[in-house]
Amino acid sequence: MKNMKTALLVMDMQTSLLCSLPDTEELVSHVRKAIKTARNHQIPVIYVTVWFRQRMPEISSHNKAFSGIKHHMEDVDMKEWTAIHPDLSPEETDIVITKRRFSAFTGSDLEVVLRGLDVQHLVLAGISSSGVVLSTVREASDKDYQLTVIEDGCKDGDQEVHEVLMRKVFPRQADVIKVNDWLQ
């Protein structure tokens, strides 16, 4: 396993988002293993959460994906909504980044942090495969990062979409592995 210039991105593993998917216990367990391995190898763990201001002024009515949730979330406590699952809680040495769209880069300072750490290789885990993982793979690839996707550290509401991404789409730009293979 490479530990020089590598970072683990744990993306959108918020309790509020995990609740929208069925059977997430195994996913959380796999991501917890990846985090433990990263920490044991002095690989930075960077958490990325999606966050909006109260009443979501960042969301335009023209944004098809996010505008549908805006009305339903007007009174949601955003601090509570962005809370990372307790089994995956960041430690003091971990970095937490907030973003405002699907990609971990959009509306965040992730790229500045990665440059500061001299990271060139990103290992990705998170939900959903068709959301943050797909968008981040595409953007990170365009930014010339080496990429690894932990297949069983990702999940999607549509299992068929998850499978197509892992088997056909992501391998064009990333290595796709199981968490136990990354642990080696």
Side-chain angles (χ1 to χ4, degrees), residues 116-171:
L117 296 173
D118 199 24
V119 169
Q120 296 175 355
H121 177 218
L122 301 175
V123 179
L124 309 178
I127 58 169
S128 70
S129 305
S130 63
V132 68
V133 182
L134 173 61
S135 296
T136 303
V137 163
R138 294 297 199 189
E139 190 165 351
S141 177
D142 282 347
K143 293 176 183 299
D144 298 325
Y145 287 97
Q146 291 178 297
L147 298 168
T148 300
V149 175
I150 301 177
E151 178 180 357
D152 51 357
C154 300
K155 191 172 178 80
D156 198 271
D158 185 325
Q159 185 60 29
E160 182 180 357
V161 169
H162 174 82
E163 293 296 327
V164 168
L165 289 168
M166 296 298 168
R167 305 282 173 264
K168 297 186 178 219
V169 178
F170 292 162

Side-chain angles (χ1 to χ4, degrees), residues 8-13 31 35 45-49 88 123 125-126:
L8 172 65
L9 298 186
V10 178
M11 304 180 294
D12 292 0
M13 296 299 289
V31 174
I35 292 167
V45 178
I46 301 173
Y47 291 81
V48 179
T49 61
L88 305 173
V123 179

